[in-house]
Amino acid sequence: ARVRDAVKKHYKVRVDANRRWSREQYETFLAHLGDAPLDFVEEPPFSSSNIPAALDETLAEADWSPAFDDAEVLVAKPALIGLERTLALARRHGRVVASSCFEAGA
């Protein structure tokens, strides 16, 4: 409990299920969330009015989409989409988080 209380005062949690949550799993997660200090959820299976949604993998699949405007956060990985594209997203969108990636190869 002390760790949770300390985290709530200073940090927010970012959640990424890598597009693998079903609607039911996401609803269960939201039901158990309580007052956890959540910053955003990446690629949720559906939008929730009280949980900020972020796009991550979607950024590598399209140049621009209306979904980009609807997302509260874009999680850009310059190693995957390039620095120029990351900067273009940052100029166009209100909040872009730069992230890294570690890809397991074939």
Side-chain angles (χ1 to χ4, degrees):
R2 290 190 315 186
V3 171
R4 181 195 64 230
D5 292 342
V7 167
K8 283 173 53 173
K9 290 179 186 176
H10 303 289
Y11 302 99
K12 288 188 175 184
V13 177
R14 297 173 177 173
V15 176
D16 184 0
N18 290 315
R19 293 181 166 176
R20 291 197 170 101
W21 277 350
S22 67
R23 183 177 188 93
E24 180 180 332
Q25 289 170 317
Y26 189 51
E27 287 173 343
T28 300
F29 167 77
L30 294 177
H32 289 92
L33 191 58
D35 64 346
L38 190 63
D39 192 13
F40 56 78
V41 175
E42 289 183 32
E43 302 280 350
F46 65 91
S47 295
S48 173
S49 61
N50 59 339
I51 305 295
L55 294 182
D56 180 357
E57 292 86 0
T58 300
L59 301 181
E61 297 171 352
D63 287 334
W64 190 260
S65 161
F68 291 18
D69 291 323
D70 294 338
E72 293 185 47
V73 182
L74 302 181
V75 179
K77 294 180 175 146
L80 295 180
I81 66 171
L83 183 58
E84 290 299 318
R85 181 132 189 264
T86 300
L87 293 172
L89 290 171
R91 285 189 288 272
R92 184 167 183 173
H93 196 274
R95 182 175 178 203
V96 175
V97 173
S99 181
S100 60
C101 63
F102 299 96
E103 299 294 327

